[in-house]
Amino acid sequence: MQEQLLHAEGNAVVNAAIIGASGYSGAELLRILSSHPGVRVQKVTAASSAGKRVDALYPAFAGQCDLEYDELVPAGLGGIDVAFVALPSGEAMKIIPLLKERVGRIIDLGGDFRLRSAELYELYYRRKHSAPDLLSGAVYGLPELNRDTIAAAKLVANPGCYPTSAILALLPALKHGIISPAGVVINSLSGVSGAGRSASVDMSFAEINENVRAYKIGTHQHIPEIESVLTEASGAAVTASFVPHLIPITRGIYTTAHAALTVALTAAELLTLYEEFYCSHPFVRITRQVPQILAVTRTNYCDIGIAIEGRTNHLIVMSVIDNLVKGAAGQAVQNMNLMFGLPEATGLK
Amino acid sequence: MQEQLLHAEGNAVVNAAIIGASGYSGAELLRILSSHPGVRVQKVTAASSAGKRVDALYPAFAGQCDLEYDELVPAGLGGIDVAFVALPSGEAMKIIPLLKERVGRIIDLGGDFRLRSAELYELYYRRKHSAPDLLSGAVYGLPELNRDTIAAAKLVANPGCYPTSAILALLPALKHGIISPAGVVINSLSGVSGAGRSASVDMSFAEINENVRAYKIGTHQHIPEIESVLTEASGAAVTASFVPHLIPITRGIYTTAHAALTVALTAAELLTLYEEFYCSHPFVRITRQVPQILAVTRTNYCDIGIAIEGRTNHLIVMSVIDNLVKGAAGQAVQNMNLMFGLPEATGLK
Amino acid sequence: MQEQLLHAEGNAVVNAAIIGASGYSGAELLRILSSHPGVRVQKVTAASSAGKRVDALYPAFAGQCDLEYDELVPAGLGGIDVAFVALPSGEAMKIIPLLKERVGRIIDLGGDFRLRSAELYELYYRRKHSAPDLLSGAVYGLPELNRDTIAAAKLVANPGCYPTSAILALLPALKHGIISPAGVVINSLSGVSGAGRSASVDMSFAEINENVRAYKIGTHQHIPEIESVLTEASGAAVTASFVPHLIPITRGIYTTAHAALTVALTAAELLTLYEEFYCSHPFVRITRQVPQILAVTRTNYCDIGIAIEGRTNHLIVMSVIDNLVKGAAGQAVQNMNLMFGLPEATGLK
Amino acid sequence: MQEQLLHAEGNAVVNAAIIGASGYSGAELLRILSSHPGVRVQKVTAASSAGKRVDALYPAFAGQCDLEYDELVPAGLGGIDVAFVALPSGEAMKIIPLLKERVGRIIDLGGDFRLRSAELYELYYRRKHSAPDLLSGAVYGLPELNRDTIAAAKLVANPGCYPTSAILALLPALKHGIISPAGVVINSLSGVSGAGRSASVDMSFAEINENVRAYKIGTHQHIPEIESVLTEASGAAVTASFVPHLIPITRGIYTTAHAALTVALTAAELLTLYEEFYCSHPFVRITRQVPQILAVTRTNYCDIGIAIEGRTNHLIVMSVIDNLVKGAAGQAVQNMNLMFGLPEATGLK
């Protein structure tokens, strides 16, 4: 039986808009918010799909959602308490400065406001940042790291899917100083929904099925996000070698991280260290079995497994998330809950 | 925002047991009931997994469900209002006569009580029925057909997955007498979870992936279920040629049925006929697009699409369900809602 | 050990060109012909990929094939004995009239020359036929039906993938007059490579994986091909209800056909009838097990299984092919072998 | 057109037996050898499938292979030139001492004779070695490393699938001393056919599909194989952290290796170094694109891609193979070719 999550009767409900709701992250947000007891989605918007009904694009919503897509930045946003922006990187930074004048709280699911440095942004995203003055005020929306600052934030930069899995995997070890911050190796496997809903030969079934491809080796835009967040959180200069791979699944990320242990620890001590680190966080589970993606599919959980490889004195950490939930829409809702004083897990369990 | 589904505070909650909860249908039941606002799962039982925690078998339940599997037919069932039986056909009929003495309402997800005739059972299930006296009292649990009798039933035989999709596809046409009841052709495609959680070379990934196999041609145990339910509902002697196929997906059934039209109808009239037939049923959606499995995955919906093939004067109906939800656990919960006076969709949307 | 298939040393080799070799059928042709002992592929051509190396598009050819794509209709075709045309329907008919003046034998893998009637073509392909005068001279390239006429043909229309599986499944029964030619029901399941190498959301992994979709119900362009070939071959007016379904595999077609038996036959007699019908045809295998796609993947075989459903007096025939081989490139090579007096199976086993 | 690979007419053909031919590697061997121009498979044997026809287990062989499985170690092996042993590790070492008395050349596809040290074997394979006296005489069958000693060997230990991909990826860098031999990190992704043809819930479609699982972290039996072969080949003590992952594909291994560069090199110099290292080896291709599994599926190729990550000064190498071909049966045939003086690529292109 579900816990009674409703805030008291009579309380005002959070009125939400989803800007760019025609992609997979936007649709997942709509799915989650539709059964969230404290939110009402008042508007969904889209660029090329404006004017279409949501259930024309996503027949799963038939009979469940009567909305149609409004123009991308609609005229009427009065009464909207929070705007989720689920646009490709590069698009959000054009729109968010305008949105900020009309909506009190904004959660951006893209990459435009995750780095504090406009130079780093330009280096990895290969375009100039058009709203660099907003970077310092944006809060990185990883609740396991920034719960309190998120609660007060006006603009939350929701973490990337790979960084969510990589940072949660390494944070306890780095903050406790038990691994060397230099030369961390991170390999991640991702389902295709992370690439969005798009028409391309590369993402066609015949090219993905029975195949694996690494990509953007050493150049992926999530590298500076992982390094800078871990560096700032741990106080040590983290360098990470990161290789993402595309595998034939729709949802899920599997991250395996290797780092050199700098202290002697038993497996039991390590487990305790991780369990205590996350004991107050409802969406991180430390598993004694090896993690698997199916255990977190369509949930907001991040499952983490840890091993010590004695022969090499390496820490090996594996973490799994659903890239559309904890890696995107679910984490955005978790952030929204914190921002509006709702219990952190509302609508997510 | 989710409708407020809770019956009034203070109302007694339904206490449930799942007998045979270690398979996929049992686990799906547990998943659905865990967020059902009017039910508390008090017991889950299993044969070979007795004594294990649920989250040891299904890590998805970690942190969400503290239950462990009790022995298959546990001693203490006091206070249980309803027992779901999710055992292989042949096992349920041994246990249900005993259960009936101890639990007031029983919902059997297997095939043992779906046919009214012990002879037909023996012909297709290839074993003698050990509790034939219970057959006449069992109610076939298809809410779209038997809503009222289900409400009063003590023993509900939850429909098979293929029959659910086939019967819902053909029921309106047969009841309105617009197709010939003889020579209906039904082809169904099923995901592998329908075969249960089992160890066999045939169900291994390497044998299912990139493959399709038809099976049990002309001998499948769902044939008499489809024919007898449709015959009884329509009053005409329905004969159906049925071929099930196993395809490389985990969840979902796609049924395509062909029948000879006996009256002249426009596509619009046909659509109206189907829409009106199901207008009071919350889980059947008549689609104007061709149905697809992804639209119903992890939901209790059955989506139905209809076409008239003028050249052959055939009605072609396609229906899709999630075999573990509308084809098993979800429909069982829908039946339970009816049996306990809860709104039919409680916990299912 | 492979049979020695080479025609005697000193014999002239067949010089081939593949017009439109950048799609999946063209690449499959190139793969097969590369190990064919009697053929040398002299030219491959493409529209948008002209100027690229084959292994840039298909890295599988690296180190195996040094060709680059020439312009779609290249200037120099001197010395080419046969041109395979692997273009989308509608494109081939613009080019083949010109090709015929320059190349002695042409095998078209598309649909433009499979129907004898330009009216039927226009009805189903929804465009005017631009070379109707060539229709009567084109030979339908199903070797199991037209072996002798193919040998002498100048222009062979290679059958469609669905028609290959459907016609081979039904031909023996129709020619022997044991089923009713009216009201045959054909359901086919196809892998996505049949739709070609293209960029579209509908064919993206996330939309195909864990999904099934029927499409073009009652309107598919292969319907007149199936009906007219079977009608002409059997002398009875065949009408067929045909529903194609897209399933999440890359290669393969599974066809299940239902027809009303008009004579009394035992299963053994039926098996004998089918086995004798195909006994001289090296690529059709009658199986006693239910056919499965994996048994024919990457081969030119069509496996056929037959059942009599006594209750409905239906014949049920299942056939499987690899849509890119027996359904396209392999059959084209089989036709080429016949046209050049090579043993029918050369390069295909 | 295929190169003429036949050794001169009149030459004796190699007569082969496959001991343990009912699994996936054995079947793949049979597939490859069936079209090998210099080999005749005289016997296939199996334990539980003895007495069955090959095409009863593998319908793909229908009409192509008339063999039936003999008992596992058959009485008559007279005239057999080479025995391939495709048994699970632990089984082969019981049989090979007997086989060696009756057959001149043996190629073991399992792990029993790959390590030189019985102690290491016992540590990782968790059983006592029953034929330790044969270890020193067995030749590690990686042609790119041991071409000459393989040619003269009586007993060849065919490499493991993971080691094949990992060793080929790292060999040039280690032999040229451009990376640190300590702390190499290897992550591999494998299709399920590597686990063999077996009945288990863990390998069932429903548990593999849409899932990823790492396994045997720090304990996999291929770890000492990788380390000892690389150590012996390079003369430096290689330690490697290795994590294998199971992903939802049937065939293929994707290996991504990270190592610290110890010298300054440009990308072009690195490419040249790798290209020159493998220039005389027909089955290793150095790619300028990122490797992908589909490029090597059903081939004996290993494709290797290389990147320098400047920020971390890491060498990142990716290699792909088909685990059943270059990772098992194909490599075994490559070894056989060398042992019998046939061109190395005979029957493999």
Side-chain angles (χ1 to χ4, degrees):
Chain A
M1 193 171 70
Q2 195 175 32
E3 292 298 311
Q4 175 56 305
L5 297 167
L6 287 179
H7 41 152
E9 287 291 324
N11 268 19
V13 134
V14 177
N15 290 300
I18 306 174
I19 309 300
S22 61
Y24 291 136
S25 293
E28 188 73 8
L29 254 176
L30 187 52
R31 184 180 75 85
I32 294 171
L33 293 176
S34 296
S35 62
H36 190 295
V39 177
R40 194 175 303 271
V41 178
Q42 300 286 9
K43 250 182 212 313
V44 293
T45 82
S48 62
S49 295
K52 290 190 187 154
R53 284 179 57 89
V54 169
D55 58 9
L57 251 76
Y58 294 97
F61 285 106
Q64 306 233 73
C65 168
D66 253 340
L67 294 168
E68 67 179 44
Y69 295 109
D70 212 330
E71 56 180 331
L72 188 58
V73 186
L77 285 170
I80 296 298
D81 301 305
V82 61
F84 295 90
V85 180
L87 291 170
S89 297
E91 299 300 310
M93 64 186 178
K94 297 180 198 159
I95 285 171
I96 285 178
L98 310 169
L99 272 182
K100 273 183 69 78
E101 296 170 13
R102 299 161 62 194
V103 180
R105 317 295 283 272
I106 294 173
I107 301 170
D108 177 23
L109 280 76
D112 285 354
F113 296 95
R114 294 183 196 146
L115 304 177
R116 291 186 191 277
S117 147
E119 290 71 34
L120 213 50
Y121 181 88
E122 290 174 31
L123 184 62
Y124 280 91
Y125 285 81
R126 293 161 193 263
R127 71 174 75 86
K128 209 165 166 54
H129 203 294
S130 64
D133 50 309
L134 295 184
L135 288 175
S136 64
V139 172
Y140 190 70
L142 189 68
E144 291 76 12
L145 183 64
N146 292 330
R147 187 146 50 186
D148 296 339
T149 46
I150 291 164
K154 298 298 182 199
L155 171 57
V156 164
N158 211 53
C161 49
Y162 290 124
T164 296
S165 70
I167 293 168
L168 291 176
L170 292 164
L171 201 53
L174 283 164
K175 285 199 108 169
H176 279 82
I178 63 169
I179 56 171
S180 167
V184 172
V185 171
I186 303 167
N187 278 274
S188 290
L189 319 178
S190 176
V192 299
S193 61
R197 187 168 185 271
S198 64
S200 79
V201 169
D202 274 1
M203 302 307 286
S204 70
F205 186 86
E207 299 293 325
I208 295 288
N209 186 37
E210 289 294 286
N211 205 3
V212 174
R213 291 198 305 263
Y215 66 104
K216 288 194 182 177
I217 298 141
T219 64
H220 197 282
Q221 68 275 14
H222 287 168
I223 291 173
E225 183 179 340
I226 294 169
E227 287 190 343
S228 62
V229 171
L230 286 174
T231 293
E232 189 176 321
S234 69
V238 175
T239 57
S241 182
F242 172 64
V243 179
H245 303 72
L246 205 54
I247 62 167
I249 64 174
T250 299
R251 283 167 175 254
I253 284 181
Y254 204 106
T255 289
T256 300
H258 299 248
L261 279 164
T262 54
V263 298
L265 269 171
T266 64
E269 288 166 340
L270 187 66
L271 203 57
T272 302
L273 184 154
Y274 266 73
E275 283 177 340
E276 289 183 354
F277 191 91
Y278 286 120
C279 67
S280 75
H281 293 283
F283 291 115
V284 178
R285 299 185 296 199
I286 310 303
T287 70
R288 278 132 207 270
Q289 300 172 300
V290 177
Q292 53 178 309
I293 285 177
L294 276 185
V296 300
T297 305
R298 300 207 180 207
T299 79
N300 199 48
Y301 285 109
C302 174
D303 281 4
I304 294 177
I306 329 155
I308 295 175
E309 194 179 36
R311 202 170 32 82
T312 60
N313 202 30
H314 268 200
L315 172 69
I316 300 175
V317 190
M318 288 140 294
S319 68
V320 291
I321 59 170
D322 183 322
N323 57 300
L324 290 180
V325 190
K326 183 63 176 169
Q331 186 143 269
V333 173
Q334 189 180 355
N335 284 321
M336 182 209 69
N337 287 338
L338 295 173
M339 293 162 88
F340 287 88
L342 296 166
E344 190 171 346
T346 311
L348 290 167
K349 282 205 167 169
Chain B
M1 191 169 72
Q2 195 177 30
E3 291 297 311
Q4 175 56 303
L5 296 167
L6 286 180
H7 39 153
E9 285 291 324
N11 268 20
V13 135
V14 177
N15 290 299
I18 305 174
I19 309 299
S22 61
Y24 291 135
S25 293
E28 188 72 7
L29 254 177
L30 186 53
R31 183 179 76 84
I32 295 172
L33 293 175
S34 296
S35 62
H36 190 295
V39 177
R40 193 177 301 272
V41 178
Q42 300 286 10
K43 253 184 211 313
V44 293
T45 83
S48 62
S49 295
K52 290 188 187 156
R53 285 177 58 88
V54 169
D55 58 8
L57 251 75
Y58 294 97
F61 285 106
Q64 306 234 74
C65 168
D66 253 340
L67 294 169
E68 68 179 43
Y69 295 109
D70 212 329
E71 56 180 331
L72 188 57
V73 186
L77 283 171
I80 296 298
D81 302 304
V82 61
F84 294 92
V85 180
L87 292 170
S89 297
E91 298 300 310
M93 66 186 176
K94 296 180 198 157
I95 284 171
I96 285 177
L98 309 169
L99 272 183
K100 274 183 68 79
E101 297 171 12
R102 298 160 63 192
V103 180
R105 317 295 284 271
I106 295 173
I107 300 170
D108 178 24
L109 279 76
D112 286 352
F113 296 96
R114 293 182 196 147
L115 303 178
R116 291 186 191 275
S117 148
E119 289 70 35
L120 214 48
Y121 182 88
E122 289 173 31
L123 184 62
Y124 280 90
Y125 285 81
R126 293 163 191 261
R127 69 173 77 86
K128 210 164 167 50
H129 203 294
S130 64
D133 50 310
L134 296 183
L135 289 175
S136 64
V139 172
Y140 190 70
L142 189 68
E144 291 76 11
L145 183 64
N146 293 329
R147 188 145 52 185
D148 296 338
T149 47
I150 291 165
K154 299 298 181 200
L155 171 57
V156 164
N158 210 56
C161 49
Y162 290 124
T164 296
S165 71
I167 293 167
L168 292 176
L170 291 164
L171 202 52
L174 283 164
K175 285 198 108 171
H176 279 84
I178 64 169
I179 56 172
S180 167
V184 172
V185 171
I186 302 167
N187 278 274
S188 290
L189 320 178
S190 176
V192 298
S193 60
R197 188 170 184 269
S198 65
S200 79
V201 170
D202 274 1
M203 303 306 287
S204 69
F205 186 85
E207 300 293 326
I208 295 289
N209 185 37
E210 288 294 285
N211 205 3
V212 174
R213 293 198 302 265
Y215 66 105
K216 289 195 182 176
I217 298 140
T219 65
H220 197 283
Q221 68 275 12
H222 287 167
I223 292 173
E225 184 178 339
I226 294 168
E227 288 190 342
S228 62
V229 170
L230 286 174
T231 294
E232 190 175 322
S234 69
V238 175
T239 57
S241 182
F242 172 64
V243 179
H245 303 72
L246 205 56
I247 62 168
I249 64 174
T250 298
R251 284 167 175 254
I253 285 181
Y254 204 104
T255 289
T256 300
H258 299 249
L261 280 164
T262 54
V263 297
L265 270 170
T266 65
E269 288 166 340
L270 187 66
L271 204 58
T272 303
L273 184 155
Y274 267 73
E275 284 177 341
E276 289 183 353
F277 191 91
Y278 287 120
C279 67
S280 74
H281 294 283
F283 292 114
V284 179
R285 299 186 295 201
I286 310 303
T287 70
R288 277 132 208 271
Q289 300 172 300
V290 177
Q292 54 178 308
I293 285 178
L294 276 184
V296 299
T297 304
R298 299 207 180 209
T299 79
N300 199 49
Y301 284 108
C302 174
D303 281 3
I304 294 176
I306 329 155
I308 294 175
E309 194 179 37
R311 203 172 29 83
T312 61
N313 202 30
H314 268 200
L315 172 69
I316 300 175
V317 191
M318 289 140 293
S319 68
V320 291
I321 58 170
D322 183 321
N323 57 299
L324 290 180
V325 189
K326 184 62 177 168
Q331 185 144 270
V333 172
Q334 191 180 355
N335 283 320
M336 183 208 71
N337 288 338
L338 295 173
M339 293 163 87
F340 288 87
L342 297 166
E344 190 172 344
T346 312
L348 290 167
K349 280 205 168 169
Chain C
M1 191 170 71
Q2 195 176 29
E3 292 299 311
Q4 176 56 305
L5 297 168
L6 285 180
H7 40 156
E9 287 290 327
N11 268 20
V13 135
V14 178
N15 291 300
I18 306 174
I19 309 300
S22 61
Y24 292 135
S25 293
E28 188 72 9
L29 254 176
L30 187 52
R31 185 181 74 82
I32 294 172
L33 293 176
S34 295
S35 62
H36 190 294
V39 177
R40 195 176 301 271
V41 178
Q42 301 286 9
K43 252 182 212 313
V44 294
T45 82
S48 62
S49 295
K52 290 189 188 156
R53 284 177 58 86
V54 169
D55 58 9
L57 252 75
Y58 294 97
F61 285 106
Q64 306 232 75
C65 168
D66 253 341
L67 295 168
E68 66 180 44
Y69 296 109
D70 212 330
E71 56 180 331
L72 188 56
V73 187
L77 284 171
I80 296 297
D81 302 303
V82 61
F84 295 91
V85 180
L87 292 170
S89 297
E91 300 300 311
M93 65 186 176
K94 297 180 199 158
I95 285 171
I96 285 177
L98 310 168
L99 272 182
K100 273 182 70 78
E101 296 170 14
R102 299 160 62 192
V103 180
R105 317 295 283 271
I106 294 173
I107 301 170
D108 178 23
L109 281 77
D112 285 351
F113 296 95
R114 294 182 197 147
L115 303 177
R116 292 188 191 275
S117 147
E119 290 70 35
L120 213 49
Y121 181 87
E122 289 173 32
L123 184 61
Y124 280 90
Y125 286 81
R126 293 162 191 263
R127 69 173 76 86
K128 211 168 165 49
H129 203 294
S130 63
D133 49 310
L134 296 183
L135 289 175
S136 64
V139 172
Y140 190 70
L142 189 67
E144 292 75 12
L145 182 64
N146 292 330
R147 188 147 49 186
D148 296 339
T149 46
I150 291 164
K154 299 298 181 200
L155 172 57
V156 164
N158 211 54
C161 49
Y162 291 124
T164 296
S165 70
I167 293 168
L168 292 176
L170 292 164
L171 201 53
L174 282 164
K175 284 199 109 169
H176 279 82
I178 64 169
I179 55 172
S180 167
V184 173
V185 171
I186 302 167
N187 278 274
S188 290
L189 320 179
S190 176
V192 298
S193 60
R197 187 168 184 271
S198 63
S200 79
V201 170
D202 275 1
M203 303 306 286
S204 70
F205 185 86
E207 299 293 326
I208 294 289
N209 185 37
E210 289 295 283
N211 204 3
V212 174
R213 291 199 304 264
Y215 66 104
K216 289 194 182 177
I217 298 141
T219 64
H220 197 282
Q221 69 275 15
H222 287 168
I223 292 173
E225 184 178 338
I226 295 169
E227 287 189 343
S228 61
V229 171
L230 286 174
T231 294
E232 190 176 322
S234 69
V238 175
T239 57
S241 182
F242 172 63
V243 180
H245 303 72
L246 206 54
I247 62 168
I249 64 175
T250 299
R251 282 167 176 256
I253 285 180
Y254 204 104
T255 290
T256 299
H258 300 248
L261 280 164
T262 54
V263 298
L265 269 170
T266 64
E269 288 166 340
L270 187 66
L271 204 57
T272 302
L273 184 154
Y274 267 73
E275 284 177 340
E276 289 183 354
F277 191 92
Y278 287 120
C279 66
S280 75
H281 294 284
F283 291 115
V284 178
R285 299 185 295 200
I286 309 302
T287 70
R288 278 131 207 271
Q289 300 172 300
V290 176
Q292 54 178 306
I293 284 177
L294 276 185
V296 299
T297 305
R298 298 203 182 212
T299 80
N300 199 47
Y301 285 108
C302 174
D303 281 4
I304 294 176
I306 329 154
I308 295 175
E309 193 178 38
R311 201 172 30 83
T312 60
N313 202 32
H314 269 200
L315 173 69
I316 300 176
V317 190
M318 287 140 293
S319 68
V320 290
I321 59 170
D322 183 322
N323 57 300
L324 290 180
V325 189
K326 183 63 176 168
Q331 186 143 269
V333 173
Q334 190 180 353
N335 284 321
M336 182 208 71
N337 288 338
L338 295 174
M339 293 162 87
F340 287 88
L342 297 166
E344 190 171 347
T346 310
L348 290 168
K349 281 206 168 169
Chain D
M1 191 170 74
Q2 195 176 31
E3 292 298 312
Q4 174 56 302
L5 297 167
L6 285 180
H7 39 154
E9 286 293 324
N11 267 21
V13 135
V14 177
N15 290 300
I18 306 174
I19 309 299
S22 61
Y24 291 134
S25 293
E28 187 73 8
L29 255 177
L30 186 52
R31 184 179 76 84
I32 294 171
L33 294 176
S34 296
S35 62
H36 190 294
V39 177
R40 195 176 299 273
V41 178
Q42 299 286 9
K43 254 183 208 315
V44 293
T45 83
S48 62
S49 295
K52 288 188 188 157
R53 284 177 58 86
V54 169
D55 58 7
L57 250 76
Y58 293 97
F61 285 106
Q64 306 234 76
C65 168
D66 253 340
L67 294 168
E68 68 179 43
Y69 296 109
D70 212 329
E71 57 180 330
L72 189 57
V73 185
L77 285 172
I80 296 299
D81 302 304
V82 61
F84 295 92
V85 180
L87 292 170
S89 297
E91 299 301 311
M93 65 185 176
K94 297 179 199 160
I95 284 172
I96 284 177
L98 309 168
L99 272 182
K100 272 182 70 77
E101 297 171 13
R102 298 161 62 193
V103 179
R105 317 295 284 271
I106 294 172
I107 300 170
D108 178 24
L109 280 77
D112 285 353
F113 297 95
R114 293 182 197 147
L115 303 177
R116 292 187 190 277
S117 148
E119 290 70 35
L120 215 48
Y121 181 87
E122 289 173 31
L123 184 61
Y124 280 90
Y125 285 81
R126 291 161 192 266
R127 69 173 77 88
K128 211 168 164 49
H129 202 293
S130 63
D133 49 310
L134 296 184
L135 289 176
S136 65
V139 172
Y140 190 71
L142 189 69
E144 291 76 12
L145 183 65
N146 293 329
R147 188 145 50 185
D148 296 338
T149 45
I150 290 164
K154 299 297 180 200
L155 172 58
V156 164
N158 210 55
C161 49
Y162 290 125
T164 295
S165 71
I167 293 167
L168 292 176
L170 292 165
L171 203 53
L174 283 164
K175 284 200 110 170
H176 279 83
I178 64 169
I179 56 171
S180 167
V184 173
V185 171
I186 303 166
N187 279 274
S188 290
L189 320 179
S190 176
V192 299
S193 61
R197 188 169 184 270
S198 65
S200 78
V201 169
D202 275 2
M203 303 306 287
S204 69
F205 186 86
E207 299 293 325
I208 295 289
N209 185 38
E210 288 294 284
N211 204 3
V212 174
R213 291 198 303 263
Y215 66 104
K216 289 195 182 176
I217 298 140
T219 64
H220 197 283
Q221 68 274 14
H222 287 168
I223 291 173
E225 184 179 338
I226 294 169
E227 288 190 342
S228 62
V229 170
L230 286 174
T231 293
E232 191 176 320
S234 69
V238 175
T239 56
S241 182
F242 172 63
V243 179
H245 304 71
L246 205 56
I247 62 168
I249 63 174
T250 298
R251 284 166 175 256
I253 285 182
Y254 204 105
T255 289
T256 300
H258 300 249
L261 280 164
T262 55
V263 297
L265 269 170
T266 64
E269 288 166 341
L270 186 66
L271 204 57
T272 302
L273 184 155
Y274 267 73
E275 284 177 341
E276 289 183 353
F277 192 91
Y278 287 120
C279 66
S280 75
H281 295 284
F283 292 114
V284 178
R285 298 186 295 201
I286 310 303
T287 70
R288 278 131 207 271
Q289 300 173 300
V290 177
Q292 54 178 308
I293 285 177
L294 276 185
V296 299
T297 304
R298 299 206 181 209
T299 80
N300 199 48
Y301 285 109
C302 174
D303 281 5
I304 295 177
I306 329 155
I308 295 175
E309 193 179 38
R311 202 171 30 82
T312 61
N313 202 31
H314 268 200
L315 172 69
I316 300 176
V317 190
M318 289 141 293
S319 68
V320 291
I321 58 170
D322 183 322
N323 57 299
L324 290 180
V325 189
K326 184 62 176 168
Q331 185 143 268
V333 172
Q334 191 180 354
N335 283 320
M336 183 208 70
N337 287 339
L338 295 174
M339 293 162 88
F340 288 87
L342 297 166
E344 190 171 346
T346 312
L348 289 167
K349 280 204 167 170

